Amino acid sequence: MTEITRVPLQPIAKGSLTKLWLGVLLAVLLGAGLAWAAAPKGLSVDTITAGTGDSPKLGDVVFVKYVGKLKDGTEFDRSQPLPIPPGLLPDGNPLLLEEGAIIDGFIQGLTQMQKGGKYTLTIPADQAYGAEPPPGSPIPPNADLVFDVEIVDFMSRDDFQQRAAAIQQMMQAQQGQQQAQPEGAPPAQ
Protein backbone atom coordinates (compact mmCIF):
# COMPACT_ATOMS: atom_id res chain seq x y z
CA MET A 1 0.00 0.00 0.00
CA THR A 2 0.99 3.49 -0.68
CA GLU A 3 1.02 5.99 2.01
CA ILE A 4 -0.27 9.52 1.55
CA THR A 5 2.11 12.21 2.59
CA ARG A 6 0.75 14.11 5.47
CA VAL A 7 0.88 17.89 5.44
CA PRO A 8 0.56 19.63 8.75
CA LEU A 9 -2.17 22.29 8.82
CA GLN A 10 -1.33 25.64 10.29
CA PRO A 11 -3.82 27.04 12.78
CA ILE A 12 -5.97 29.89 11.48
CA ALA A 13 -5.00 33.25 12.89
CA LYS A 14 -7.53 34.94 15.12
CA GLY A 15 -9.92 37.12 13.03
CA SER A 16 -8.91 35.60 9.68
CA LEU A 17 -12.05 33.50 9.43
CA THR A 18 -14.19 36.62 9.91
CA LYS A 19 -12.21 38.43 7.20
CA LEU A 20 -12.62 35.45 4.88
CA TRP A 21 -16.42 35.43 5.30
CA LEU A 22 -16.63 39.20 4.86
CA GLY A 23 -14.64 38.84 1.61
CA VAL A 24 -16.99 36.12 0.35
CA LEU A 25 -20.04 38.22 1.26
CA LEU A 26 -18.55 41.28 -0.49
CA ALA A 27 -17.84 39.23 -3.63
CA VAL A 28 -21.43 37.89 -3.69
CA LEU A 29 -22.92 41.37 -3.22
CA LEU A 30 -20.66 42.84 -5.90
CA GLY A 31 -21.64 40.08 -8.33
CA ALA A 32 -25.36 40.55 -7.60
CA GLY A 33 -25.03 44.32 -8.08
CA LEU A 34 -23.28 43.91 -11.43
CA ALA A 35 -25.91 41.41 -12.58
CA TRP A 36 -28.74 43.76 -11.57
CA ALA A 37 -27.13 46.73 -13.36
CA ALA A 38 -26.58 44.70 -16.55
CA ALA A 39 -30.11 43.25 -16.62
CA PRO A 40 -32.40 44.87 -19.20
CA LYS A 41 -34.95 47.17 -17.63
CA GLY A 42 -38.53 46.27 -18.38
CA LEU A 43 -41.82 48.01 -18.70
CA SER A 44 -42.97 49.80 -15.55
CA VAL A 45 -46.58 50.68 -14.62
CA ASP A 46 -46.79 52.86 -11.51
CA THR A 47 -50.27 53.49 -10.08
CA ILE A 48 -51.02 57.11 -9.22
CA THR A 49 -54.77 56.58 -8.65
CA ALA A 50 -56.15 53.03 -8.71
CA GLY A 51 -58.92 52.24 -11.16
CA THR A 52 -61.77 49.79 -10.74
CA GLY A 53 -63.11 46.82 -12.61
CA ASP A 54 -61.58 44.85 -15.43
CA SER A 55 -58.52 45.72 -17.49
CA PRO A 56 -58.71 46.18 -21.26
CA LYS A 57 -57.56 43.27 -23.41
CA LEU A 58 -56.21 42.87 -26.92
CA GLY A 59 -58.81 43.90 -29.49
CA ASP A 60 -60.49 46.47 -27.21
CA VAL A 61 -60.62 50.19 -27.92
CA VAL A 62 -59.33 52.14 -24.92
CA PHE A 63 -60.17 55.82 -24.36
CA VAL A 64 -57.18 57.51 -22.72
CA LYS A 65 -55.94 60.92 -21.76
CA TYR A 66 -52.15 60.96 -21.86
CA VAL A 67 -48.99 63.03 -21.97
CA GLY A 68 -45.89 61.45 -23.56
CA LYS A 69 -42.46 62.58 -22.38
CA LEU A 70 -38.84 61.65 -22.76
CA LYS A 71 -36.85 60.65 -19.65
CA ASP A 72 -35.60 64.24 -19.30
CA GLY A 73 -39.19 65.54 -19.14
CA THR A 74 -39.40 66.89 -22.71
CA GLU A 75 -43.02 66.50 -23.87
CA PHE A 76 -43.41 64.93 -27.33
CA ASP A 77 -47.13 64.06 -27.48
CA ARG A 78 -50.42 64.82 -25.75
CA SER A 79 -53.95 63.50 -26.24
CA GLN A 80 -56.44 65.86 -27.89
CA PRO A 81 -60.23 65.95 -27.48
CA LEU A 82 -62.19 64.33 -30.32
CA PRO A 83 -63.97 66.74 -32.70
CA ILE A 84 -67.39 65.23 -32.01
CA PRO A 85 -70.26 66.36 -29.80
CA PRO A 86 -69.73 65.37 -26.16
CA GLY A 87 -71.50 62.31 -24.84
CA LEU A 88 -71.40 60.24 -28.03
CA LEU A 89 -68.14 58.54 -27.07
CA PRO A 90 -66.16 58.62 -23.82
CA ASP A 91 -63.64 61.45 -23.37
CA GLY A 92 -60.06 60.81 -24.40
CA ASN A 93 -58.35 59.43 -27.47
CA PRO A 94 -59.50 56.02 -28.69
CA LEU A 95 -56.61 53.57 -29.06
CA LEU A 96 -57.03 50.11 -30.57
CA LEU A 97 -55.12 47.51 -28.57
CA GLU A 98 -53.75 45.65 -31.52
CA GLU A 99 -50.22 44.88 -32.65
CA GLY A 100 -49.10 47.49 -35.15
CA ALA A 101 -51.73 50.04 -34.08
CA ILE A 102 -49.62 51.44 -31.21
CA ILE A 103 -46.21 50.62 -29.76
CA ASP A 104 -45.83 47.28 -27.97
CA GLY A 105 -44.99 48.81 -24.59
CA PHE A 106 -48.17 50.92 -24.64
CA ILE A 107 -50.27 47.82 -25.40
CA GLN A 108 -48.64 45.86 -22.56
CA GLY A 109 -49.02 48.77 -20.16
CA LEU A 110 -52.69 49.45 -20.95
CA THR A 111 -53.61 45.81 -20.36
CA GLN A 112 -52.30 46.21 -16.78
CA MET A 113 -54.46 49.27 -16.05
CA GLN A 114 -58.08 49.65 -14.95
CA LYS A 115 -60.88 52.03 -15.92
CA GLY A 116 -60.72 55.32 -14.01
CA GLY A 117 -57.12 54.82 -12.97
CA LYS A 118 -54.20 57.18 -13.45
CA TYR A 119 -50.78 55.71 -14.08
CA THR A 120 -47.20 56.51 -15.04
CA LEU A 121 -46.05 54.14 -17.76
CA THR A 122 -42.31 53.86 -18.44
CA ILE A 123 -41.49 52.07 -21.69
CA PRO A 124 -37.91 51.00 -22.48
CA ALA A 125 -36.66 51.88 -25.97
CA ASP A 126 -36.82 48.27 -27.20
CA GLN A 127 -40.59 48.23 -26.52
CA ALA A 128 -41.08 51.71 -27.98
CA TYR A 129 -39.47 52.91 -31.22
CA GLY A 130 -35.97 51.50 -30.69
CA ALA A 131 -33.31 52.85 -33.02
CA GLU A 132 -35.86 54.07 -35.59
CA PRO A 133 -38.34 56.63 -34.21
CA PRO A 134 -40.96 58.05 -36.61
CA PRO A 135 -39.44 60.43 -39.19
CA GLY A 136 -39.66 64.06 -38.08
CA SER A 137 -40.44 63.00 -34.52
CA PRO A 138 -38.83 64.75 -31.53
CA ILE A 139 -38.07 61.27 -30.12
CA PRO A 140 -34.36 60.44 -30.43
CA PRO A 141 -33.18 56.91 -31.33
CA ASN A 142 -33.13 54.39 -28.46
CA ALA A 143 -35.14 56.66 -26.15
CA ASP A 144 -37.07 55.37 -23.16
CA LEU A 145 -40.55 56.92 -23.04
CA VAL A 146 -42.67 58.00 -20.06
CA PHE A 147 -46.44 58.44 -20.29
CA ASP A 148 -48.85 59.89 -17.75
CA VAL A 149 -52.03 57.94 -18.60
CA GLU A 150 -55.64 58.10 -17.46
CA ILE A 151 -57.95 55.27 -18.57
CA VAL A 152 -61.32 56.94 -19.15
CA ASP A 153 -63.14 53.88 -20.50
CA PHE A 154 -62.80 50.95 -22.89
CA MET A 155 -65.09 48.87 -25.08
CA SER A 156 -64.96 46.09 -27.62
CA ARG A 157 -63.95 46.92 -31.18
CA ASP A 158 -67.43 45.93 -32.43
CA ASP A 159 -69.16 48.29 -29.98
CA PHE A 160 -66.81 51.10 -30.99
CA GLN A 161 -67.42 50.47 -34.71
CA GLN A 162 -71.20 50.52 -34.18
CA ARG A 163 -70.99 53.82 -32.29
CA ALA A 164 -68.66 55.32 -34.90
CA ALA A 165 -71.04 54.29 -37.70
CA ALA A 166 -73.99 55.88 -35.84
CA ILE A 167 -72.01 59.10 -35.36
CA GLN A 168 -71.07 59.14 -39.03
CA GLN A 169 -74.72 58.67 -40.09
CA MET A 170 -75.81 61.44 -37.72
CA MET A 171 -73.17 63.82 -39.09
CA GLN A 172 -74.14 63.00 -42.70
CA ALA A 173 -77.79 63.67 -41.89
CA GLN A 174 -76.89 67.03 -40.36
CA GLN A 175 -74.84 67.94 -43.43
CA GLY A 176 -77.74 66.95 -45.68
CA GLN A 177 -80.11 69.21 -43.73
CA GLN A 178 -77.68 72.11 -43.94
CA GLN A 179 -77.25 71.69 -47.71
CA ALA A 180 -81.03 71.49 -48.27
CA GLN A 181 -81.63 74.88 -46.61
CA PRO A 182 -81.54 77.90 -48.94
CA GLU A 183 -78.88 80.49 -48.13
CA GLY A 184 -80.02 83.08 -45.64
CA ALA A 185 -82.95 80.95 -44.42
CA PRO A 186 -83.19 80.39 -40.67
CA PRO A 187 -82.29 76.87 -39.53
CA ALA A 188 -85.14 74.38 -39.29
CA GLN A 189 -86.25 73.58 -35.77
Side-chain angles (χ1 to χ4, degrees):
M1 284 212 177
T2 60
E3 188 172 308
I4 299 176
T5 306
R6 295 181 187 192
V7 176
L9 294 175
Q10 299 294 324
I12 297 177
K14 190 174 190 177
S16 295
L17 192 56
T18 304
K19 290 178 187 174
L20 177 68
W21 282 112
L22 286 175
V24 169
L25 181 61
L26 180 64
V28 168
L29 290 175
L30 181 63
L34 289 173
W36 179 82
K41 304 299 180 229
L43 182 84
S44 167
V45 178
D46 297 319
T47 303
I48 306 303
T49 304
T52 58
D54 294 332
S55 297
K57 58 188 179 307
L58 289 178
D60 285 345
V61 175
V62 183
F63 292 85
V64 298
K65 294 179 182 178
Y66 68 89
V67 176
K69 300 176 280 190
L70 301 175
K71 280 283 202 178
D72 67 3
T74 304
E75 186 177 313
F76 64 85
D77 194 13
R78 176 180 288 272
S79 59
Q80 301 294 322
L82 293 176
I84 60 172
L88 298 175
L89 286 173
D91 286 341
N93 286 89
L95 300 175
L96 175 61
L97 290 186
E98 185 176 83
E99 189 174 324
I102 55 178
I103 58 175
D104 292 343
F106 214 86
I107 293 172
Q108 291 176 17
L110 289 174
T111 59
Q112 297 177 39
M113 300 176 187
Q114 294 174 299
K115 177 181 172 180
K118 293 182 181 182
Y119 305 87
T120 299
L121 174 62
T122 305
I123 304 173
D126 64 334
Q127 293 178 10
Y129 295 107
E132 298 178 23
S137 165
I139 301 171
N142 299 312
D144 294 341
L145 306 179
V146 178
F147 290 90
D148 294 324
V149 181
E150 177 184 356
I151 301 283
V152 178
D153 202 354
F154 62 92
M155 62 184 67
S156 71
R157 181 190 323 206
D158 292 339
D159 189 16
F160 175 76
Q161 288 174 337
Q162 289 172 358
R163 290 183 188 202
I167 292 169
Q168 186 176 14
Q169 287 175 351
M170 183 178 67
M171 292 174 81
Q172 287 173 346
Q174 285 178 347
Q175 285 178 346
Q177 287 177 351
Q178 290 174 355
Q179 291 173 354
Q181 291 179 5
E183 278 189 44
Q189 294 189 18

